[in-house]
Amino acid sequence: MKIQELRNLIKTADRERLEKAFAESYKRFTKGQKEEVDQIIADALSGKEAKRGTEKDPVDFESLERQIREFLENAYAQNYFAPNRIIPKNQRPKWRFLVKNFIKELEKIPPDSPWHHGAVKLLRDLYHLICEACNYYLFSTDDAFRSIGWEQPELFKLLVKKTFAGGFSPEAISGLLCDATSGGLSRECLHVQQEAVLVSNLNTSDLKYMALEEAKKLVEEKRTKLRGAGKRNNTYIQREEIDNLCDMILMLAIELAEPEKGVPYYFDNCEENDKEIILYRALKIVDWFGSDELWVEVYKYGIKKKIEPRERLRKEYESRREETAH
């Protein structure tokens, strides 16, 4: 039926039958379609000009979501790597093009779209998958990020920006803290690079303090799990994640001009057994985010903790101390 024919029917229809026809038609919409047309209906009934859904949502999100969910299921089942009857052999190398297109389509979904939250969730799931593919063979590659043409910090940056486009909250920041400090890594990347991306996108002191508190909560949660893990379990990953969160806390403390709080916390809470390595890591972070003066102070703090620095650090200390003295 053409739109003019519909209008002619409406003009001559009985009010009660018209309401019934409208309600029955509305019932035929899927949940996603209802979310799309609800505002259009409300605007039309209130006399406002209805906005076109296609302007707001350039992507068929429900179809995209189905495709991504199916892809994720097959990827984790190694159907793009191992012999199977689900994904034909000649289609398995094309996984990288699928991922590239998925990311491109998810990028198109704007913050004011009803699909934005779902798009962020799917982007995070894809990011987690590519991280996992750096630890285990899910595809025929030893660096899944390189295969899809994305550097890991850049894809994480997209995830951060899309997440924060929907608003800042402790839950959103906590999730990104976990993403930045855990998971598999590209061969050319370290966790500290994702951590730096997150810090750079916390644009106010309030957000940095929020992240600081959430990071400390995560440290306590992971430490509680670590204590209950028992000696027979492999606790290396949990310990590493705690250390990465401590890196994040030190970065934030420096950014907030509160290193006097961040440095003692760092040395007291890192799980690394070798104290000299803790000092080395702390100095690396200060070198990135702090000043020469702070570097010298952290070095001295390590000495007070009876840590014996490696020779290269001792030489660097002498050089920086001379520079800061002038």
Side-chain angles (χ1 to χ4, degrees), residues 83-144:
N84 67 92
R85 296 182 179 181
I86 298 175
I87 305 297
K89 186 176 181 179
N90 65 346
Q91 295 297 312
R92 293 170 200 163
K94 297 180 181 179
W95 69 270
R96 66 199 68 201
F97 303 113
L98 291 174
V99 175
K100 287 181 181 180
N101 185 63
F102 290 151
I103 295 171
K104 183 178 178 181
E105 292 300 299
L106 291 171
E107 277 189 276
K108 294 179 183 177
I109 298 174
D112 59 348
S113 167
W115 310 118
H116 180 262
H117 178 76
V120 172
K121 177 66 169 63
L122 290 173
L123 183 60
R124 174 169 280 110
D125 289 344
L126 286 171
Y127 178 78
H128 289 170
L129 172 71
I130 303 305
C131 287
E132 187 74 359
C134 291
N135 284 340
Y136 305 98
Y137 279 110
L138 301 181
F139 311 105
S140 295
T141 178
D142 58 359
D143 193 335

Side-chain angles (χ1 to χ4, degrees), residues 4-18:
Q4 190 56 49
E5 293 174 327
L6 176 62
R7 284 173 175 163
N8 291 337
L9 280 175
I10 292 173
K11 287 179 183 178
T12 60
D14 175 77
R15 172 63 182 267
E16 184 177 343
R17 291 178 178 176
L18 181 61

Side-chain angles (χ1 to χ4, degrees), residues 124 163-164 167-179 198:
R124 174 169 280 110
T163 301
F164 287 159
F168 296 91
S169 68
E171 293 75 20
I173 289 176
S174 181
L176 289 170
L177 282 167
C178 290
D179 296 336
L198 181 52

Side-chain angles (χ1 to χ4, degrees), residues 52 74 79 86 111 119 165 170 180 194 199 218 220-221 243 292 314:
R52 297 187 179 207
N74 280 305
N79 290 336
I86 298 175
Q194 280 70 257
V199 170
L218 288 169
E220 289 307 310
E221 290 173 10
D243 288 350
D292 284 341
R314 292 198 297 269

Side-chain angles (χ1 to χ4, degrees), residues 243 246-247 250 262-270 278 281-282 285:
D243 288 350
C246 287
D247 288 347
L250 182 55
V263 172
Y265 180 95
Y266 189 84
F267 280 84
D268 290 343
N269 287 276
C270 276
I278 294 178
R281 287 179 61 146
I285 293 169

Side-chain angles (χ1 to χ4, degrees), residues 224-239:
T224 299
K225 291 181 181 179
L226 187 62
R227 293 193 193 105
K231 294 182 179 180
R232 290 178 296 177
N233 293 319
N234 183 2
T235 59
Y236 172 78
I237 293 175
Q238 294 101 307
R239 295 168 68 89

